[in-house]
Amino acid sequence: MRGVQFANGPTEHQFRKEKEQKQKEEKVKKEPEGDDVDVSTGILSFFDPFVLQIEKSRHKKAKDYYKLRNCGLYQLTKDIIMMIRVCKMFRQGLRGFREYQIIESAHRKHPIFSFWDKKKQGQITFDTMQFIAEQGHFPPRAIEITQKQPAWRKEEEIQELCNFLQALDSFRSYNETLQLLLAKVVRFERFDRRRVIIRKGQKGNSFYFIYLGKVAVTEDEDGSSAFLDPYPTVLEKGCSFGEMALLRSSVRRATVVCMEETEFLVVDKEDFFANKLDVEVEKDAQYRFEFFRKMDLFRSWSKEKLWKLVTMGKVEKFSFGQVISKDFVESATVMFVCKGSCEVLRLIDLGNSPSYYKWIWQHLEFQYNKPLKTHIFEPSPMERFKEFQIKSYPVQDFSFLKLLHLQKAWEQKGTNGSMSHTSMTDLPKTFGSKIKSRRGHLVKCSVIDTETGRLAKEAAVGTYMKIHTVEQGEIVGLHQISLPDTQLDKRPLILVSLGTEMIRVRKEKFEDLIDDKTREKLSKYHIEYPRLVLKICTNSIRVKEIDEELCQCFLQENSWNIFRSDLMQLLVEPRQCPPFIPKQPKKRERNYLKSVTLNLSTLGKNTKPNYPIFMAPQKYLPPLRIVQRITAPRPKIQELLPQYKNAGILV
Ligand SMILES: Nc1ncnc2c1ncn2[C@@H]1O[C@@H]2COP(=O)(O)O[C@H]2[C@H]1O
């Protein structure tokens, strides 16, 4: 009976169906799916060997699959896929919870702020993610705005872009209206090293601001000379270029090529004139003209000649501490300081100075093994103050006593600071006359040969010394122009900005312009830096400058600094409880004064040097450790000046 329902079971039809299904499944278990197909297509495949081959491989694959399925790997893979899906769903579900944000650092670092704006009656969202950029790069949000057509840029977007562009010196100097007009039209472009941006002799269509990177200005067409010239004319972030061809409706006067990956903001010719950017650029040129006109050096120059000079360079701004030139003696440009000032530094190799050599050995002779005993008896604070008032701390006394002390030590040892009778790796370590009972011993450390003699390797260090300050109106880098070759000071000199604006003009171009009268006048601008000139007489007289005078200055200053810190320790009573110092982010180690101090007391001891090793340019000096000060083992001030044993509660 078809369709009759059993009390608690399936219908007859269903029952039959199930039976058939079971039979089918049993068959499947016995013979895999592949054979089923073979049977149905049996006659065909018998006649066709190709089909047979394919069917065989299918058969084999199916067999492998069933084997896999039987050994449980199939199930395992299925389980893994399932688990991955579940985890994914969990992750998505957790996105709403705060904890989830803590796990994902990207969300924590760049949160989205949201405010309700009462005036506009709407939610304002500030997604910090839009403003982040790799250090120095143009932010993605700003790029997004510049990619829009000028007409499609909203007012807020233009204002936003204007804010981003404040990072550019040249842009910042324009008035607000012009800034907004430019923000409306600028395009963003990024190019790699060696890419030619402007080719000499071609028609000019754009004006460029450099947002990141460096470009070089060259005279050749492909810009390759920039990579061969050790001192190319380089323009950096904040500078602009490409105005000359636009202003004079002429071809490009020079080639501009990227020295590294560089980002630009580009203003097209039509916008350049429509927004009166040409007026601003002309103002810059007029400023340079006025600056040169005021200089005594160019008083006799005609207007045309002076304008020629004006077009040879631009006003460049350098921030405080920025290195303008690593060696301006060799550099290819003459630098005119228009505003602010800069410092001339010299990297001196102390190891080659006789004074330093002597100083080091004197201090090593004077090493103490143990700190000297300090006071036992303490006078009242009143007495101490009175004593302090009567006699201020006599600096001379200290140096005199120290010298006396040293002399005694040398007499006893019979040395004069040289190392002739010590072994190559041993340094004498004696005690001062105060502790005569103890015997000196030798300190083992590696020694190197310097021009003056053998020196402990650790003590062969260098330092940067300021030797001159260049002020507004002065000229730097006249070396090859104003003096005959024999009188030239060829030591490398470093120029560091103290916040300055300057115009750089290439030496060869400047030389082409100047006449004899100007050349004569230029000698007045020549600056003589402290140096000791050694005349080496061989066949021809050779001149060699050494930094002896500078080394002596360094040692004097160093001694004063150490003495001052000793004195401060003596005068300032240590606090009972440490003062509250707010936590500050850890600076890089090289910023610490401590980290650039060489301590001679640790010579021969196996300690990690606590000062960084900077590599001086290989061209000039061997690899050198740069230090700011050198502390040597010394007796306590109280011991040398007994009357000041307890000088200080004076804070
Ligand atoms: N001596 C220079 N110093 C700096 N920039 C220069 C110098 N000579 C040319 N330029 C720039 O290089 C650009 C090349 O194209 P333009 O001639 O349009 O405008 C030029 C100036 O902006």
Side-chain angles (χ1 to χ4, degrees):
M1 259 177 74
R2 208 180 268 198
V4 177
Q5 185 115 23
F6 288 93
N8 281 322
T11 60
E12 192 191 5
H13 176 70
Q14 278 173 326
F15 191 73
R16 210 180 308 136
K17 250 193 165 179
E18 270 174 23
K19 209 176 162 188
E20 274 170 22
Q21 184 71 25
K22 264 186 190 171
Q23 276 173 352
K24 254 189 192 174
E25 273 177 14
E26 266 168 30
K27 200 180 171 192
V28 164
K29 268 186 193 168
K30 268 186 239 157
E31 296 175 52
E33 263 172 32
D35 279 5
D36 254 7
V37 181
D38 250 10
V39 171
S40 60
T41 54
I43 304 157
L44 251 180
S45 50
F46 184 75
F47 291 105
D48 194 340
F50 269 106
V51 176
L52 198 68
Q53 213 170 342
I54 294 164
E55 294 306 336
K56 266 186 184 173
S57 70
R58 273 181 72 186
H59 189 173
K60 197 169 174 280
K61 266 187 202 166
K63 265 187 175 172
D64 290 348
Y65 165 74
Y66 276 95
K67 260 189 213 167
L68 250 168
R69 196 169 162 171
N70 284 344
C71 50
L73 264 173
Y74 172 76
Q75 191 56 42
L76 184 71
T77 322
K78 255 178 90 177
D79 287 348
I80 291 172
I81 293 168
M82 182 65 79
M83 270 165 67
I84 290 170
R85 281 185 189 160
V86 171
C87 287
K88 220 173 170 182
M89 278 163 72
F90 259 98
R91 269 166 66 90
Q92 279 169 358
L94 279 169
R95 227 171 253 276
F97 292 96
R98 246 182 88 229
E99 285 78 4
Y100 183 78
Q101 290 187 352
I102 291 164
I103 298 162
E104 217 166 55
S105 60
H107 282 265
R108 193 157 42 96
K109 275 186 189 163
H110 311 292
I112 299 169
F113 297 106
S114 194
F115 312 95
W116 180 258
D117 192 338
K118 275 185 190 169
K119 263 191 198 166
K120 290 182 183 168
Q121 282 296 303
Q123 194 83 6
I124 293 176
T125 315
F126 178 72
D127 186 354
T128 46
M129 198 71 185
Q130 288 185 335
F131 292 86
I132 55 156
E134 263 180 70
Q135 206 180 15
H137 287 268
F138 203 48
R141 167 76 186 140
I143 296 176
E144 204 182 288
I145 300 170
T146 53
Q147 278 165 349
K148 287 186 182 179
Q149 290 281 342
W152 295 353
R153 293 181 198 176
K154 289 183 205 146
E155 235 173 75
E156 315 89 81
E157 288 175 336
I158 293 169
Q159 186 61 56
E160 240 175 88
L161 195 58
C162 206
N163 293 345
F164 287 123
L165 293 172
Q166 296 302 315
L168 305 177
D169 284 333
S170 41
F171 187 85
R172 220 176 29 240
S173 63
Y174 303 147
N175 63 43
E176 211 184 320
T177 327
L178 180 58
Q179 284 184 10
L180 288 169
L181 285 170
L182 285 178
K184 192 167 179 185
V185 293
V186 283
R187 279 187 291 119
F188 173 76
E189 276 177 8
R190 182 187 287 147
F191 296 115
D192 237 328
R193 181 177 153 88
R194 286 188 181 272
R195 168 74 188 244
V196 174
I197 307 298
I198 284 177
R199 204 175 288 277
K200 188 177 174 177
Q202 287 193 344
K203 221 181 125 199
N205 286 320
S206 310
F207 176 71
Y208 298 81
F209 291 99
I210 306 171
Y211 191 87
L212 178 80
K214 268 185 212 166
V215 297
V217 182
T218 67
E219 289 293 316
D220 58 347
E221 267 182 39
D222 63 355
S224 56
S225 65
F227 301 95
L228 304 170
D229 187 349
Y231 301 99
T233 305
V234 170
L235 301 176
E236 290 186 41
K237 179 174 180 160
C239 286
S240 54
F241 62 88
E243 75 290 354
M244 287 179 186
L246 303 188
L247 288 176
R248 319 239 177 290
S249 299
S250 61
V251 290
R252 298 289 193 191
R253 292 169 58 124
T255 296
V256 180
V257 61
C258 296
M259 296 299 280
E260 56 191 45
E261 190 195 16
T262 314
E263 293 180 356
F264 302 99
L265 289 152
V266 191
V267 182
D268 290 330
K269 192 176 177 179
E270 306 78 57
D271 298 321
F272 182 81
F273 289 108
N275 297 319
K276 296 199 170 56
L277 196 55
D278 53 325
V279 179
E280 294 299 321
V281 174
E282 294 278 17
K283 260 193 216 167
D284 275 354
Q286 192 61 38
Y287 172 81
R288 276 176 278 161
F289 181 84
E290 295 298 329
F291 168 74
F292 285 134
R293 186 79 292 172
K294 276 184 208 153
M295 281 183 82
D296 179 49
L297 185 66
F298 306 116
R299 193 140 293 165
S300 57
W301 284 31
S302 66
K303 210 175 163 186
E304 291 72 37
K305 200 173 169 183
L306 208 57
W307 269 110
K308 268 189 187 169
L309 183 64
V310 167
T311 55
M312 283 178 185
K314 302 202 157 179
V315 176
E316 292 173 71
K317 290 180 184 174
F318 295 92
S319 49
F320 187 91
Q322 194 177 346
V323 176
I324 300 169
S325 173
K326 282 182 186 161
D327 177 13
F328 65 80
V329 177
E330 285 285 317
S331 115
T333 51
V334 182
M335 294 165 242
F336 299 88
V337 180
C338 323
K339 251 189 203 168
S341 58
C342 30
E343 271 181 352
V344 177
L345 302 187
R346 166 95 184 114
L347 173 59
I348 55 169
D349 182 357
L350 290 165
N352 282 334
S353 149
S355 314
Y356 175 75
Y357 181 80
K358 213 171 162 186
W359 186 87
I360 287 281
W361 285 113
Q362 282 171 2
H363 282 79
L364 288 174
E365 287 277 326
F366 200 44
Q367 281 215 48
Y368 286 89
N369 225 12
K370 243 178 144 189
L372 295 180
K373 60 180 191 307
T374 46
H375 52 272
I376 301 153
F377 163 73
E378 257 191 43
S380 72
M382 274 289 271
E383 265 176 82
R384 281 187 308 204
F385 184 62
K386 228 175 171 181
E387 196 177 21
F388 191 86
Q389 271 190 320
I390 297 164
K391 298 169 193 168
S392 63
Y393 199 99
V395 181
Q396 315 89 303
D397 277 8
F398 175 66
S399 44
F400 168 74
L401 277 167
K402 195 169 173 179
L403 263 179
L404 211 77
H405 211 69
L406 282 171
Q407 264 168 10
K408 268 187 206 163
W410 297 335
E411 276 162 22
Q412 278 164 19
K413 276 293 287 177
T415 61
N416 58 357
S418 81
M419 242 212 90
S420 52
H421 53 278
T422 52
S423 89
M424 209 175 120
T425 52
D426 294 335
L427 308 178
K429 190 174 179 180
T430 58
F431 303 102
S433 55
K434 296 234 167 196
I435 316 169
K436 277 180 188 158
S437 56
R438 295 196 191 157
R439 284 186 55 230
H441 65 270
L442 298 171
V443 180
K444 286 226 180 276
C445 73
S446 47
V447 179
I448 59 158
D449 282 319
T450 65
E451 278 180 22
T452 350
R454 281 179 202 152
L455 199 67
K457 201 178 165 194
E458 286 285 292
V461 293
T463 190
Y464 284 109
M465 277 199 74
K466 180 190 130 180
I467 56 174
H468 183 70
T469 307
V470 187
E471 301 290 352
Q472 186 175 327
E474 286 188 68
I475 310 173
V476 194
L478 285 170
H479 283 77
Q480 288 83 344
I481 299 174
S482 62
L483 283 178
D485 212 38
T486 46
Q487 287 174 40
L488 278 179
D489 181 355
K490 286 177 185 151
R491 294 171 303 165
L493 298 169
I494 303 147
L495 196 66
V496 178
S497 160
L498 295 177
T500 187
E501 274 182 26
M502 59 167 59
I503 303 170
R504 294 197 276 193
V505 176
R506 280 196 82 84
K507 274 179 189 167
E508 69 270 11
K509 284 191 176 179
F510 184 62
E511 265 201 292
D512 285 347
L513 270 187
I514 53 174
D515 45 39
D516 290 341
K517 211 173 160 191
T518 319
R519 198 178 287 273
E520 218 174 88
K521 275 188 188 174
L522 268 179
S523 56
K524 264 198 269 166
Y525 286 86
H526 185 78
I527 305 157
E528 188 73 35
Y529 302 111
R531 59 172 175 164
L532 188 77
V533 180
L534 293 180
K535 281 194 176 138
I536 305 162
C537 294
T538 46
N539 288 344
S540 60
I541 295 175
R542 217 157 50 92
V543 177
K544 191 183 172 214
E545 303 89 11
I546 59 167
D547 298 314
E548 185 55 23
E549 203 179 323
L550 290 173
C551 286
Q552 283 169 12
C553 287
F554 171 77
L555 292 177
Q556 271 175 21
E557 201 151 305
N558 188 58
S559 298
W560 161 243
N561 285 336
I562 292 166
F563 171 75
R564 194 176 50 181
S565 62
D566 281 354
L567 187 62
M568 281 304 283
Q569 269 182 17
L570 181 79
L571 294 177
V572 180
E573 202 179 36
R575 282 178 182 235
Q576 288 301 315
C577 58
F580 170 72
I581 300 160
K583 254 193 177 179
Q584 278 179 350
K586 209 178 168 193
K587 285 182 198 162
R588 275 202 225 145
E589 199 166 273
R590 67 183 157 136
N591 293 340
Y592 289 126
L593 187 66
K594 218 175 152 189
S595 68
V596 283
T597 300
L598 168 66
N599 187 356
L600 290 184
S601 314
T602 58
L603 270 195
K605 288 175 194 159
N606 219 357
T607 51
K608 228 175 130 195
N610 70 341
Y611 50 94
I613 297 169
F614 294 99
M615 289 297 182
Q618 289 277 323
K619 196 175 137 198
Y620 317 118
L621 294 165
L624 210 61
R625 290 179 185 84
I626 311 295
V627 295
Q628 269 186 8
R629 68 178 211 160
I630 302 170
T631 60
R634 56 201 182 278
K636 289 206 165 174
I637 286 180
Q638 296 99 316
E639 295 298 328
L640 294 170
L641 302 165
Q643 67 271 36
Y644 293 109
K645 254 182 189 169
N646 275 307
I649 46 157
L650 195 80
V651 183

